């Protein structure tokens, strides 16, 4: 640790090929949202540049976090445009010429 700073390149989980993190059920709501925001923000880079093991771990962790969010929020608001019916309506509206 030259200069008193930890080596950031080696700050990763070395327990094996998967990184589990804290059990999502043990996170409070604010911590869960922060974890979800972080994993969604890093998703694209993991898909494009991560190893197969990194992508597998990312998939598993994302599923755990999203599952916990859905468990806690079974009646979460759903935007009409994010449903199949809403998407169909949007597609119909896009094919209509506008004046």
């Amino acid at each position: 640790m030259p200069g008193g700073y930890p080596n950031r390149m080696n700050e990763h989980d070395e327990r094996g090929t998967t990184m589990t993190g804290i059990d999502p059920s043990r996170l409070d709501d604010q911590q869960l949202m922060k974890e979800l925001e972080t994993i969604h923000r890093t998703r694209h880079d993991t898909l494009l540049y991560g190893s197969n093991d990194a992508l597998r771990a990312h998939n598993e962790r994302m599923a755990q976090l999203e599952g916990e969010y859905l468990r806690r929020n079974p009646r979460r608001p759903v935007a009409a445009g994010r449903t199949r019916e809403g998407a169909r309506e949007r597609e119909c509206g896009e094919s209509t010429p506008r004046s």
Side-chain angles (χ1 to χ4, degrees):
M1 191 162 61
Y5 294 101
N7 183 348
R8 298 269 186 230
M9 294 299 289
N10 291 324
E11 285 187 9
H12 61 277
D13 185 10
E14 295 191 21
R15 291 174 288 167
T17 59
T18 62
M19 188 163 39
T20 57
I22 297 171
D23 183 335
S25 67
R26 297 181 59 203
L27 299 170
D28 65 30
D29 289 345
Q30 185 176 359
Q31 291 169 322
L32 179 61
M33 288 306 295
K34 183 177 180 183
E35 289 284 320
L36 282 165
E37 290 167 0
T38 299
I39 203 159
H40 286 127
R41 187 175 57 249
T42 60
R43 178 66 184 169
H44 192 71
D45 281 348
T46 303
L47 175 63
L48 295 178
Y49 308 114
S51 67
N52 288 341
D53 287 339
L55 187 57
R56 189 175 303 111
H58 207 271
N59 288 342
E60 290 171 9
R61 182 64 175 167
M62 188 177 332
Q64 292 171 348
L65 293 167
E66 289 177 347
E68 180 62 20
Y69 177 82
L70 294 172
R71 186 189 69 75
R72 293 183 193 187
N73 300 282
R75 300 188 194 290
R76 73 194 192 290
V78 177
R82 294 305 230 173
T83 64
R84 287 183 182 181
E85 184 177 334
R88 284 188 206 109
E89 288 175 9
R90 193 172 54 243
E91 287 174 5
C92 290
E94 290 174 359
S95 63
T96 306
R98 298 180 185 174
S99 353

